[in-house]
Amino acid sequence: ALLVVGTPSSGTTQMTKALRELGLQVAHENSDSIGTVCRDGTVSWIHGALRFSEIGDGSERASLVGALCARPRPNSLGPWRIDGGAWGNGLSCAVRGTPWGPCWQAECERVLRREIGCARGGGGGSPRCTSPFRATLLQVRHPLHTIASMLAAYCHGQDTAAAADASLMLDTAALLFPPPAAPRSREAARGNETACRRPPGRRASLRAC
């Protein structure tokens, strides 16, 4: 089976349609073959974001799982898209077609604890993942086109901070793709450089260098 990953609004819906027109049985953002026709694979941004996450084991991972599963995330994250339900595995309910509740939250946490980072270092076919894929491809799109598509789809076409803050999809993506640490300013770097060039006889702080 094939897994095609990308970012939200990178054209995964169109790619799914194109592959289906070629006769392949692929699903969009769903790999649970119990309730979905996906024999040949899936095209999904969420599968890539979870499987290849670099979040390590420990408090950071637990915090991410807790934040993602703390509230319903329709159209951005659903455990049933990866695993249709843990009937017989300690839970007495399923999340497919049911409203948000304690069962949904428990299933979300169960699935994400296993799925986050499951393919890191082992390829898309890692046995740790719920669905092993034979190959994984990365789909890319021009960044400006991706931004325009996300603006229309997830911010109701409004290019404002308020619209972005209210977007559930952008909130999900921000949790999975945290921004990198801000680089040091030129002034701070120049100050450290000056401290390291003090004349002989005056000690410079190694910590500043």
Side-chain angles (χ1 to χ4, degrees), residues 10-91:
S10 63
T12 54
T13 300
Q14 181 60 35
M15 177 60 71
T16 303
K17 180 181 178 181
L19 292 176
R20 286 173 178 171
E21 290 177 349
L22 292 175
L24 297 177
Q25 294 184 4
V26 298
H28 182 241
E29 296 181 358
N30 197 323
S31 61
D32 178 39
S33 59
I34 295 177
T36 305
V37 179
C38 55
R39 179 195 64 190
D40 298 316
T42 187
V43 183
S44 172
W45 79 271
I46 191 64
H47 281 69
L50 292 174
R51 287 168 169 252
F52 297 100
S53 171
E54 296 183 354
I55 298 294
D57 297 328
S59 59
E60 188 179 13
R61 182 190 186 90
S63 177
L64 174 61
V65 171
L68 288 170
C69 298
R71 59 169 174 163
R73 296 179 178 274
N75 301 319
S76 66
L77 173 65
W80 58 269
R81 295 175 181 269
I82 300 170
D83 185 337
W87 288 99
N89 291 334
L91 295 175

Side-chain angles (χ1 to χ4, degrees), residues 84-164:
W87 288 99
N89 291 334
L91 295 175
S92 58
C93 58
V95 296
R96 184 184 295 276
T98 61
W100 169 263
C103 175
W104 201 106
Q105 186 172 10
E107 277 288 79
C108 178
E109 293 175 352
R110 177 186 70 86
V111 172
L112 264 58
R113 278 196 297 267
R114 181 187 60 232
E115 202 72 10
I116 291 176
C118 67
R120 190 175 63 245
S126 172
R128 296 173 52 203
C129 299
T130 305
S131 298
F133 292 95
R134 185 178 298 273
T136 302
L137 301 178
L138 173 64
Q139 173 173 316
V140 296
R141 185 184 186 187
H142 193 290
L144 294 181
H145 296 166
T146 300
I147 293 172
S149 180
M150 292 188 73
L151 185 68
Y154 308 124
C155 298
H156 305 289
Q158 300 177 18
D159 187 11
T160 64

